[in-house]
Structure formats: structure tokens, C-alpha cells
Amino acid sequence: MTPETARITAAQSLVRVLLAQGVTHVFCVPGESYLAVLDALADVRDKIQVITCRHEAGAANMTVAHGKLSGRPGVCMVTRGPGATHASIAVHTARQDSVPMILFVGQVARGQRDREAFQEVDYRAAFGPLAKWAVEIDQADRMVELVQRGFSTAVQGRAGPVVIALPEDMLREEVPEAPVSASARAVSAPDSQFLDALAERLEAAERPLMILGGTGWSAPSLTALAGWAGASGLPIALSFRRKDLIDNDHPCYAGDLGLGPNPRLVERVRRADLILAIGARLGENPTQGYTLFTREETARKLVHIHPGAEEIGRVWPPALAAVATCSVAAEALAQIALPKARWRDEAAAARADADAFIEPVPVQGRVNLSEVFTHLRQATPADAIVCNGAGNFAAWLHRFYPHRQFGAQLAPTSGAMGFGVPAAVAAKLVAPNREVIAVAGDGDFLMTAQELATAMQYKAAAVFIVVDNGSYGTIRMHQERDYPGRAIATDLANPDFVAYARAFGLWAARVEDTAQFPAAFRAAREAGGPALIHVKTDIRDIAPGRIL
Ligand SMILES: Cc1ncc(C[n+]2csc(CCOP(=O)(O)OP(=O)(O)O)c2C)c(N)n1
Ligand SMILES: [Mg+2]
């Protein structure tokens, strides 16, 4: 006779799965719909830190940032309809960014469903197209199975977000304690036939170019790949907002295919006779709105390696392809023998183009962001984590701030405003020994600025740089291009950002001239807590090298 298995609530079994998965942080806004889970978390405070946020978008963005940094699913908990809809932006971001994430959402009691009960939402329907998987757990005794499947689904192949809805009454039901385990990430590797075929193509290539993007990398695999490319002079470009995949000072670094890319890099991609894309989906932004190649060209010259089988041939028919985990593919490629210094001149030319592009540019106003971010690069260590949301300020940051290390950039490829502030809070909480800097536009900042309270509450000493041009500048730029002289809906009457930050308890200062930035940044880093620098810029300096 075995002793009778202990009975625990479904909420307690959920928390047991979190522990088995090695979850260290839960980002949340509490709700009455999942009180039982919160109560179960109270028993494991020493193992899982619950971070209480001020808005579900903040909590969910923090979760994405955690997932991006760790490569493992971040965990977010929000309440029914209002909480879930607030959090939805980050589900979209995680999806576009290929970042693993679990969003737990409270749900009405099972007996009330389909009446449009208070805050009821059909989560499978609402999140179906946004998430990688959306499920509602109806049976308390299937909690362990389905939550474990959620953790597994989030990381396999192309990583992504999973939404798990939890009916309130189900959470309180008692079930026998079931065994829990960590889920394994299955890796896939390119086979020898693919590697031989790739070697042959490389052998024949005169102007090859490697493009790296996506997720599923590791620092050692990227080091191996960078060494391999460096020995032969194979030029390396990075995809939109994946600037931390290769040291931007690498002799083969050709630049990034972001918004407003180096025209000479765009030309280089067009001229390439072999494109070796690893992890990159080659989506709208890095391909200039799908114009950088034709499908006929890719069928001749694209070698595509991606962890998700569904991404191969999705837009671009490849000449050769492999489904593989990025880190595993990189290690395998690094074993392919290449002639030493074969493309040395190509790499040197690409490098020279990249160098010329990050030379500071002249501006109209008193603050020159190209010099500010060049200084930021000089003042920060290689492992500093730089976070941003969306807006033209980010074009300055991405162009003039070279990244040097893997895991040092938290930027949404979805172009979601409001990401930078919560990402910085999360980064500082999970990597307290690293410097963390958020760069936000005035519009971008106020979308999630209430999370400064979270930064203060948990002593997350990030430095927040607010680039204030008094405008939703990106949109203004597009207006002036498409409807000149008819600006509408883009002017912003802003608060006093220094006073705003101080009201939360942050150290804060204003910069109105480029020369003031270094001292302000030094003081912000030495402030001993979260700090904010309000940088006043001139709306005329709408983009690098471009006047409104
Ligand atoms: C959540 C969200 N809403 C709207 C947009 C559209 N949008 C893109 S950039 C931008 C303006 C950004 O303004 P700001 O942060 O001040 O940066 P700036 O362009 O002025 O440098 C807007 C509204 C978006 N990308 N994300
Ligand atoms: Mg602005």
C-alpha cells in the first residue's frame, strides 16, 4: 500500500510547476480572479520573487525583457478582461520577437462562462492569433500537464508567447499532488548534407554576406561564428534590433538592417551573390519592405537557417535551407573549412562603410544625439544593457551606439512604444550587477513611465534617458513627407520630466546642450538609485542627417 497522495489546490500545483521550471520572478498586477495563485506564491517567497507593477503592459513588457535576457520563458500574471487586454501588447511583442513567455490570466468561474460574466473574455479566441498557443484549463487535475506544455511550447522551434487562462473556481479545487519536472528544449542541428552543400556554395561565392537575427543564440556559439567569419573575411550584417549578436567592432561587421539603414549596406545586400541568413526571418524591416531581394533571387542565392520550419520559404524561397537551433547551427558552421582571408577585401570595405556611417552628423539644435550616443558607448562597459521602445530617437541610438556583447540590447522588433522603461526595470532586477540604461522618446516614455514607481519600489537602479522633442516625431516626419505642412495630432505638450521623475523619488537632471550630457550621465550613474536624464532636443533634427 502506498501512502495516500497529499491533496493540494490546483493553484498550488501551478506554483509547483513554476518551481520545477526554475522560475525566479513573476511580474504581475494582482487581481481577485487569481487570488489562489497569489496565495500559493506567498509560500515560496524565498524562491520566486513577485514583482508588483503599475500597469499590465509594464508587467508583461518586463516579462518579455526577462525572456529575452534569459532565453527561458518569463512569467506574467494578470487579471481577467481589463488586465489581459492591457497585457496583450507584450504578447504581440514576444510573438514578433520570438521570445518565450507565459502569460497567466484569471478567468471567470466555469459555471459563469459564456454569459459575458464580469470581465469575461474568450482567451482562446482573443489571443489565438497573437500567441503561439492559448489555452484555458478546465480541469484542476490537468494543471500540471497543461502548464508544463505551455513552458515547452514557448521554447520549442521558434520561441514565442503562451497564454494560459485560469478559471477562478478551478484554481481552488483540490487535486492529488502530481509529479512535476522541468521541460527540455529540443535542439535541432543542420545535417552533413546541408553543411557540405553550404561549403560548396561558399567556395564558389565572390560576394557572400551573412545576416544574423532571431533568438536561440548563445554567447559561445556567437563567438565561434564570429571567429569563423573573421578568419575568412565573411562580412556579417545584423537584422533589425539584433545589434548585440556580434561585436559591432568586429572586423567583418557590415552594419545593421534597421530602419534608416546605411545605404551602402543595402547596396551590399543587393550585390551579394550568397546570403547566409541565420535566425533572421528576413521580414519587412530588414528587407526594406520586402524589396531587398526578389523571390527569383533568393531561390538562387539565399541559404536560410531558422529554428522554425514554418519560416523556411514563408516569403523567400531559399536555394538551400536547414531547420536548426541558431546556437547549434553556428557551432556547426564554425567547423566548415574556409580559405583564409578569402573575402578580406569585401570585409574591409564593409567595415569601412559601417565606420563611416557611425561618424557623428551635424544638427540644427543644441543637443546632438549622434554625439550623446557616441559618448554613451565610450562611457559604458560592454555588458551594459540598453533598452528602448519605438520612435525616431531609437534610430539615433541604434546608429551611434555600437553594441559589443551578446545580451546587451533589449529592443522590440515589433516597434512597440513603451517597451524601454519596463524592460530596463526588469533587466536591473534580474541582472543587478550590470548597468542598465533605458532610452525613451517623450511619447514612448509616457506610455509606461508609471513603472518608475516599480523601479523605486524594488530599487532597480537603471538610468532612464528621455529624448524630448515635444512630438510624436516619427509620425510628424511621415506627415511632412506625405502631407507637407499639414501636421496634426503629433505635437506634445509635455510635463516637466525632471519634476515628474523627482516626484517618484528618482535623481533627475536636464540636458539642453550636448556638452552637459557626460557630466549628467556620470552623476546619474553615481546617484545610487534609479535616475533620469531629460534631454531636450530640437524637432528639426528629426532623424540622423535629416532636417524636418
Ligand atoms: C504602442 C504604439 N503606438 C503607436 C505607435 C506608432 N508610433 C511609432 S513611433 C511614434 C512616435 C514616437 O514618439 P516619441 O517617443 O516621442 O519618439 P520620436 O519619434 O519623437 O523620437 C508613434 C506614435 C507605435 N509604434 N507603438
Ligand atoms: Mg518625441
Side-chain angles (χ1 to χ4, degrees):
M1 277 267 297
T2 49
E4 208 181 310
T5 319
R7 290 179 74 80
I8 58 174
T9 65
Q12 285 168 325
S13 54
L14 185 160
V15 171
R16 288 185 70 242
V17 179
L18 300 188
L19 287 173
Q21 297 289 343
V23 170
T24 53
H25 293 77
V26 167
F27 300 93
C28 81
V29 173
E32 67 273 37
S33 57
Y34 69 98
L35 286 178
V37 180
L38 288 171
D39 187 66
L41 282 167
D43 290 333
V44 296
R45 286 171 206 269
D46 54 328
K47 298 193 183 73
I48 298 178
Q49 197 186 356
V50 177
I51 307 293
T52 305
C53 303
R54 302 308 176 110
H55 190 296
E56 288 84 356
N61 279 321
M62 288 185 207
T63 309
V64 176
H66 189 193
K68 252 168 129 76
L69 273 178
S70 66
R72 289 181 284 113
V75 175
C76 188
M77 292 185 184
V78 299
T79 197
R80 298 178 282 213
T85 46
H86 268 173
S88 62
I89 185 167
V91 176
H92 180 252
T93 299
R95 176 68 179 250
Q96 292 229 308
D97 249 348
S98 311
V99 171
M101 171 190 189
I102 310 282
L103 175 66
F104 289 104
V105 186
Q107 172 63 305
V108 301
R110 287 166 293 185
Q112 313 291 349
R113 259 189 325 218
D114 299 319
R115 291 174 170 169
E116 197 187 319
F118 182 56
Q119 303 180 337
E120 182 182 355
V121 164
D122 176 347
Y123 296 104
R124 291 178 198 263
F127 283 100
L130 273 188
K132 194 170 173 188
W133 184 48
V135 67
E136 185 157 319
I137 302 183
D138 274 332
Q139 288 168 252
D141 61 1
R142 294 190 64 195
M143 175 69 85
V144 170
E145 171 202 336
L146 291 170
V147 176
Q148 286 195 175
R149 174 170 165 196
F151 273 87
S152 181
T153 301
V155 297
Q156 310 302 350
R158 180 184 173 199
V162 166
V163 176
I164 302 179
L166 307 166
E168 189 180 336
D169 60 319
M170 180 277 299
L171 288 172
R172 296 173 191 239
E173 217 174 276
E174 289 201 340
V175 287
E177 194 173 303
V180 291
S181 57
S183 51
R185 179 184 207 137
V187 296
S188 42
D191 67 1
S192 59
Q193 225 179 330
F194 169 86
L195 293 170
D196 290 346
L198 173 59
E200 243 172 69
R201 283 180 177 270
L202 281 164
E203 184 101 344
E206 296 295 329
R207 297 177 308 281
L209 178 72
M210 186 150 74
I211 302 177
L212 309 182
T215 59
W217 295 96
S218 68
S221 67
L222 284 162
T223 303
L225 195 65
W228 177 70
S232 61
L234 174 58
I236 309 166
L238 298 174
S239 191
F240 177 52
R241 294 189 166 165
R242 305 289 188 192
K243 274 197 76 189
D244 61 348
L245 291 180
I246 287 288
D247 180 355
N248 298 176
D249 293 334
H250 188 284
C252 295
Y253 180 60
D256 67 310
L257 290 162
L259 298 168
N262 186 348
R264 295 185 67 101
L265 172 60
V266 172
E267 196 41 44
R268 183 169 299 284
V269 181
R270 288 194 205 282
R271 282 197 306 109
D273 60 357
L274 171 65
I275 300 276
L276 174 53
I278 312 175
R281 294 173 54 236
L282 302 175
E284 181 178 347
N285 286 330
T287 63
Q288 304 275 293
Y290 301 104
T291 63
L292 202 44
F293 337 94
T294 63
R295 290 162 46 81
E296 290 76 12
E297 279 166 350
T298 62
R300 276 197 311 273
K301 70 178 191 182
L302 173 64
V303 178
H304 202 180
I305 304 176
H306 200 281
E310 68 286 0
E311 296 302 326
I312 306 287
R314 179 174 183 157
V315 182
W316 310 112
L320 181 68
V323 174
T325 309
C326 290
S327 57
V328 177
E331 306 269 7
L333 260 59
Q335 302 306 315
I336 296 179
L338 292 179
K340 206 166 166 351
R342 163 80 194 275
W343 304 288
R344 189 180 43 199
D345 296 346
E346 281 286 312
R351 177 73 254 178
D353 289 348
D355 283 339
F357 194 60
I358 62 168
E359 278 297 311
V361 294
V363 298
Q364 304 290 306
R366 285 164 58 201
V367 169
N368 186 333
L369 287 177
S370 65
E371 288 172 8
V372 164
F373 293 129
T374 302
H375 172 78
L376 195 66
R377 150 73 170 82
Q378 286 153 2
T380 49
D383 71 346
I385 301 169
V386 181
C387 316
N388 64 271
N392 271 15
F393 67 92
W396 296 86
L397 172 70
H398 297 333
R399 178 156 160 188
F400 298 104
Y401 183 91
H403 282 273
R404 289 147 282 167
Q405 194 174 306
F406 175 54
Q409 181 181 35
L410 293 174
T413 57
S414 65
M417 290 170 73
F419 184 75
V421 170
V425 176
K428 196 66 197 175
L429 288 174
V430 300
N433 297 325
R434 291 171 68 180
E435 275 198 48
V436 179
I437 299 143
V439 181
D442 46 340
D444 179 51
F445 177 71
L446 279 182
M447 286 206 176
T448 45
Q450 69 276 32
E451 301 307 336
L452 292 185
T454 313
M456 286 304 297
Q457 183 163 344
Y458 296 97
K459 301 185 175 44
V463 175
F464 302 88
I465 299 174
V466 180
V467 179
D468 172 13
N469 57 5
S471 173
Y472 285 130
T474 313
I475 311 307
R476 175 77 188 276
M477 177 179 76
H478 291 305
Q479 284 176 333
E480 296 296 345
R481 187 192 59 199
D482 294 354
Y483 303 95
R486 290 174 56 80
I488 181 173
T490 44
D491 283 354
L492 295 174
N494 280 323
D496 175 339
F497 286 111
V498 169
Y500 178 89
R502 286 182 184 156
F504 285 89
L506 277 81
W507 178 96
R510 181 169 296 115
V511 165
E512 291 175 310
D513 198 289
T514 309
Q516 295 168 339
F517 184 79
F521 185 59
R522 199 176 323 118
R525 296 163 89 192
E526 288 166 3
L532 181 142
I533 304 174
H534 174 207
V535 181
K536 279 291 297 171
T537 59
D538 191 316
I539 182 67
R540 287 174 298 168
D541 297 316
I542 196 64
R546 190 159 167 176
I547 294 158
L548 194 68

